[in-house]
Amino acid sequence: MVLREVMTIKLVTVGQEQSVGSALGIMRRFKIRHLIVTDNTGSLAGLASERDLKAADPSSFLGNKSRETDVLERKVKDTMIKNPAVATPATSLEEAAKLMVTRRIGCLPIVDGSARPVGIVTTTDVLAAVAGLKGPPAPAVPLTDQHPDIEFHPVPAGTLTTFLHDNLVTMLDLRERDPV
């Protein structure tokens, strides 16, 4: 499998001159943790992760309003990862996964021959491919829309996480023994 088959192609990008505060707002709006940073020609300039943007000055997020304003107004280019590891659409999933593990990174910008971003692959995309999905998981459809005759009862927060944690190995073992 190659990255073209699993990469996200609807990119959310920011310019190098955008403020850290603006970039964090975009991340919250789109519920993402990585932003591809482009230069004025549209080529890849870097990568901004939520962690790196927030780490620009951790003390600023602890209540010092004047310092917080200063940090949030800093430019993305001052906190972004310059020259991030990249891949191409033809890169194999295995090669990308090895690169992400060895470099301890959560995503790979996918670029074309002109260094223009054409996609991004995250650890979620890699896991979805390994789990047998052909790309990022589809948005969830409420159970009541699929089965109107079933009554839906919300469960306490953390119940699903606890269930998955306790049963993940069993679920994976079953998948290997009894492929669908």
Side-chain angles (χ1 to χ4, degrees):
M1 187 175 292
V2 293
L3 296 184
R4 176 182 303 103
E5 299 172 64
V6 299
M7 69 184 189
T8 300
I9 58 172
K10 292 183 180 179
L11 296 178
V12 179
T13 64
V14 294
Q16 300 178 82
E17 298 299 320
Q18 215 154 342
S19 71
V20 167
S22 173
L24 286 168
I26 290 168
M27 288 176 164
R28 277 190 299 274
R29 178 176 171 209
F30 289 98
K31 297 178 180 162
I32 57 176
R33 294 185 318 244
H34 305 95
L35 284 171
I36 291 178
V37 183
T38 57
D39 62 19
N40 57 1
T41 67
S43 294
L44 180 70
L47 183 68
S49 74
E50 182 181 38
R51 182 184 312 154
D52 292 333
L53 293 176
K54 286 183 175 179
D57 184 356
S59 65
S60 70
F61 295 96
L62 299 175
N64 184 337
K65 289 293 181 190
S66 63
R67 291 197 67 198
E68 182 175 338
T69 301
D70 291 344
V71 170
L72 294 177
E73 291 176 357
R74 286 176 67 186
K75 304 290 184 202
V76 169
K77 69 180 179 183
D78 298 328
T79 59
M80 72 180 187
I81 300 162
K82 296 168 180 71
N83 302 314
V86 298
T88 68
T91 302
S92 74
L93 182 66
E94 181 180 357
E95 185 180 342
K98 286 178 183 176
L99 180 60
M100 292 170 77
V101 168
T102 58
R103 297 241 184 135
R104 300 183 65 165
I105 54 178
C107 74
L108 282 172
I110 310 302
V111 296
D112 64 14
S114 302
R116 293 188 189 279
V118 295
I120 188 168
V121 170
T122 65
T123 51
T124 301
D125 298 324
V126 172
L127 288 171
V130 169
L133 305 172
K134 292 296 181 188
V141 176
L143 184 62
T144 54
D145 289 352
Q146 295 174 359
H147 303 283
D149 55 317
I150 296 176
E151 191 174 337
F152 177 75
H153 297 281
V155 295
T159 303
L160 180 59
T161 304
T162 302
F163 173 81
L164 289 174
H165 179 268
D166 293 343
N167 295 287
L168 184 59
V169 173
T170 304
M171 290 165 49
L172 290 174
D173 286 345
L174 289 174
R175 180 178 169 80
E176 289 176 9
R177 282 184 268 158
D178 187 21
V180 177

